[in-house]
Amino acid sequence: AIFFTAPSLFAQLDTKHYIPPMFGREDEGTHYIVLSTPSTTPFNVTITDGSGTLITTQTISNVSSSSYLLGSGTATQFLVQESELNTIMANEGLILTGNSPFYVNIRVVAGAQAGSLTSKGEKASLGQDFRTGHLFNNDGDDYRKANVFGIMATEDNTTINIDGISAGVIFKNTPQTGGTSDNITVVLDEGESYVVAAYLDEPGATNNTNGVNGTHITSDKDIVVNSGSWLGGNAIVGGSPAAGRDLGIDQIVPIELVGDEYVVIKGEGVDNEKVIVIATVNNTDIFLNEIGR
């Protein structure tokens, strides 16, 4: 049996959405903002960057969705440059508002790669306690791959702490040594963003391949977090380890909204599909088809 609750079913439908920026080393792609709504009455959706600068206004209804071309590569507010990693940015990321509830999906088309990020909406995305998740990698020497997360503040003077960093993980442009005490603290105002990336081939890093999973992000006021890997994953059977790469990104929910029962559906992969399970408390037992792990 499958059970749904109203908050989960409508979590992505909201009148306001925050989209923190991300980062990619390669296959930056072309970015689209796709908007839809169940509303029969047309209404406007205003899209700004984090500083409030207007990008566009789109009119949508249940019979007229919108696909807006945001642009390509780091020229858009969705993707930052390497020099912007570990810096506070005021004019990156996206904020979308409307008078009626609507859905937001960010789509990336990058040659053989593609990505899709669905906003969870203001009610489900805002929180103060998060654990990041990233694609499983079987090779740590690829110059193209990075595990990434982006943070956007929703209130002024928000203190954000990034801890729970696994030993051997080093984030690009941060003064880290790969130790478990290499915590990061940053203060953001409303709409400001902060993006962190762990290169799989970062010099001196011994755990950037998969150790970024479960990185802990907390704050004293509500924030929004996007997480994933802008190129990551495994090679197909018979291919070189560095050849397997995909674009896996999503907006994550705070820990208080994380559930304890999930359905995993296998795709068309052979042995290159992996399930990542991240515990939020100690002594968590995992059961697969009622068999304990």
Side-chain angles (χ1 to χ4, degrees):
I2 299 177
F3 300 92
F4 295 98
T5 62
S8 299
L9 188 61
F10 298 105
Q12 300 166 358
L13 186 65
D14 215 327
T15 58
K16 191 168 188 177
H17 297 259
Y18 294 89
I19 309 292
M22 296 290 279
F23 168 78
R25 301 173 68 184
E26 191 176 282
D27 290 330
E28 295 170 341
T30 301
H31 313 155
Y32 298 86
I33 304 174
V34 180
L35 308 174
S36 60
T37 180
S39 173
T40 58
T41 302
F43 65 95
N44 291 334
V45 174
T46 300
I47 304 175
T48 72
D49 65 15
S51 69
T53 300
L54 180 66
I55 297 174
T56 183
T57 299
Q58 301 288 301
T59 303
I60 60 174
S61 70
N62 67 333
V63 295
S64 180
S65 59
S66 169
S67 179
Y68 176 76
L69 173 60
L70 188 62
S72 299
T74 58
T76 78
Q77 292 78 10
F78 184 58
L79 211 59
V80 304
Q81 303 177 43
E82 179 180 274
S83 61
E84 295 176 301
L85 294 173
N86 191 39
T87 66
I88 296 173
M89 298 167 288
N91 59 351
E92 298 289 353
L94 301 163
I95 301 175
L96 303 93
T97 57
N99 292 329
S100 296
F102 60 99
Y103 298 102
V104 179
N105 182 257
I106 304 295
R107 298 180 186 177
V108 181
V109 179
Q113 317 305 327
S116 174
L117 182 148
T118 298
S119 170
K120 301 303 186 293
E122 187 176 35
K123 290 187 288 291
S125 66
L126 270 63
Q128 300 177 19
D129 196 349
F130 297 83
R131 291 277 184 179
T132 72
H134 309 271
L135 293 179
F136 180 84
N137 295 282
N138 63 1
D139 180 77
D141 296 323
D142 196 325
Y143 66 92
R144 295 164 292 196
K145 296 179 181 180
N147 294 312
V148 184
F149 54 89
I151 304 166
M152 178 179 278
T154 65
E155 298 183 52
D156 288 344
N157 198 31
T158 299
T159 299
I160 298 163
N161 294 300
I162 302 171
D163 58 21
I165 301 171
S166 298
V169 169
I170 299 177
F171 294 114
K172 190 69 176 179
N173 294 347
T174 62
Q176 294 181 301
T177 61
T180 56
S181 61
D182 290 339
N183 299 339
I184 300 170
T185 299
V186 61
V187 178
L188 302 181
D189 285 333
E190 180 181 1
E192 289 184 337
S193 298
Y194 184 83
V195 180
V196 176
Y199 289 15
L200 266 63
D201 61 344
E202 179 70 27
T206 59
N207 201 17
N208 279 14
T209 306
N210 294 302
V212 185
N213 277 299
T215 298
H216 196 203
I217 304 171
T218 57
S219 60
D220 61 351
K221 299 176 183 178
D222 284 344
I223 59 175
V224 180
V225 181
N226 289 341
S227 178
S229 302
W230 201 291
L231 297 191
N234 306 312
I236 59 175
V237 174
S240 67
R245 64 189 194 276
D246 283 300
L247 221 171
I249 52 176
D250 201 7
Q251 187 164 104
I252 59 178
V253 298
I255 284 178
E256 65 265 23
L257 295 183
V258 173
D260 56 12
E261 185 173 0
Y262 294 85
V263 176
V264 178
I265 301 174
K266 181 174 173 55
E268 296 183 358
V270 185
D271 64 350
N272 57 339
E273 291 189 24
K274 306 291 182 181
V275 176
I276 300 293
V277 179
I278 298 169
T280 61
V281 297
N282 291 332
N283 300 316
T284 298
D285 293 325
I286 306 298
F287 298 89
L288 177 62
N289 296 331
E290 300 183 358
I291 299 175
R293 298 289 178 179

